[in-house]
Amino acid sequence: MLFGDFGHQRAKNSSADVNALGAAQDAWLDFYVKDTGAQPFQGTTAFAMSCPESAPSGGPFHAGSWAGLQKGEVHLDSRAAQVLQPNGGSAEVDTAFDPVSAGQNPCTTAPSADLGGVATYRLPAATGSGFTLMGSPTVVAKISSPTANSAIAARLLDVDPGGTETLVDRQLFRPAVGTARQVFQLHPTGHLFAPGHVAKLELLPGDSHGNLIGGYGRAANGQGQVTISDLSLRLPTLEGPGGGG
């Protein structure tokens, strides 16, 4: 398996990542189809996202399996209840992270101020050499959602010391109707949270900049109020326990 910064928006299609993909494909065809060359690496290779747009991707990182890349965990627990309002969030911020308008630039930014009607969680600033997210961020929480059509849009952001945020990861989730402890994951990715940077989780009523069509995901019909409490955020890391400060 090979994971890198290539493909559809918002990928920047880093030349090193694309070349590594091509080389791996050629090596596979050489060995298994043409019966020439050495056997390809039997494991997982991953690159990490990087900004600014001109910066090379982090890595490559290698392990015998995808799970082998995830050696540690950074986590946050929050018992306090927070409420997602149907009209919560910011169309301006949604637009900044729209995969179409962002094109091949995953490094678009927005102001990092907390948004109204949104559940927001911030980890302490990264210390030491920082930590590298590698895998799927996991959210476990008590979710109260009485309206059948409500959705939750999750965004994981990197807030720099200057107060600007960059989108790292996202997901859409439709919670069960009623009140229950539920779990969902954001898309798997790799990203270095550098020293002084803050990992910030937003849970929003949508990720579509106020329009029925557009943005990352279509807005839910009849979005209702959603209450989040007893939340646990778990970030799998490339570094093992005690690593990265």
Side-chain angles (χ1 to χ4, degrees):
M1 295 190 290
L2 191 148
F3 301 94
D5 192 351
F6 47 77
H8 293 293
Q9 304 104 314
R10 302 168 57 245
K12 63 182 179 181
N13 286 289
S14 167
S15 58
D17 299 30
V18 172
N19 291 339
L21 174 64
Q25 291 168 331
D26 288 345
W28 192 95
L29 289 167
D30 285 346
F31 185 79
Y32 291 107
V33 178
K34 297 173 65 178
D35 197 23
T36 62
Q39 185 180 30
F41 172 58
Q42 300 296 295
T44 299
T45 299
F47 293 85
M49 296 168 53
S50 60
C51 288
E53 190 179 4
S54 59
S57 298
F61 306 106
H62 305 283
S65 67
W66 171 243
L69 290 169
Q70 300 155 26
K71 303 180 181 70
E73 181 179 274
V74 171
H75 66 270
L76 173 132
D77 296 309
S78 175
R79 296 186 60 83
Q82 297 194 50
V83 179
L84 279 60
Q85 300 290 355
N87 60 348
S90 162
E92 180 182 0
V93 175
D94 291 351
T95 301
F97 299 139
D98 184 314
V100 175
S101 60
Q104 303 297 140
N105 180 13
C107 298
T108 54
T109 61
S112 65
D114 291 354
L115 304 176
V118 170
T120 303
Y121 308 85
R122 294 174 184 252
L123 278 78
T127 59
S129 55
F131 65 90
T132 305
L133 168 68
M134 185 59 68
S136 292
T138 300
V139 176
V140 185
K142 180 181 177 182
I143 303 175
S144 179
S145 179
T147 305
N149 287 327
S150 293
I152 296 174
R155 290 197 294 232
L156 182 68
L157 303 135
D158 181 329
V159 179
D160 67 29
T164 298
E165 65 185 20
T166 304
L167 179 65
V168 174
D169 206 354
R170 66 196 337 165
Q171 183 60 282
L172 300 173
F173 176 69
R174 191 181 296 280
V177 178
T179 300
R181 191 157 176 81
Q182 299 176 63
V183 57
F184 65 93
Q185 292 185 303
L186 281 66
H187 298 298
T189 192
H191 175 82
L192 171 65
F193 285 92
H197 288 232
V198 170
K200 170 187 169 185
L201 174 70
E202 286 181 338
L203 300 181
L204 309 101
D207 196 351
S208 59
H209 52 71
N211 297 327
L212 182 64
I213 299 175
Y216 171 64
R218 183 185 183 280
N221 293 334
Q223 176 75 31
Q225 189 178 88
V226 179
T227 302
I228 310 290
S229 60
D230 293 330
L231 178 137
S232 176
L233 171 64
R234 303 169 184 173
L235 304 179
T237 62
L238 186 69
E239 298 81 14

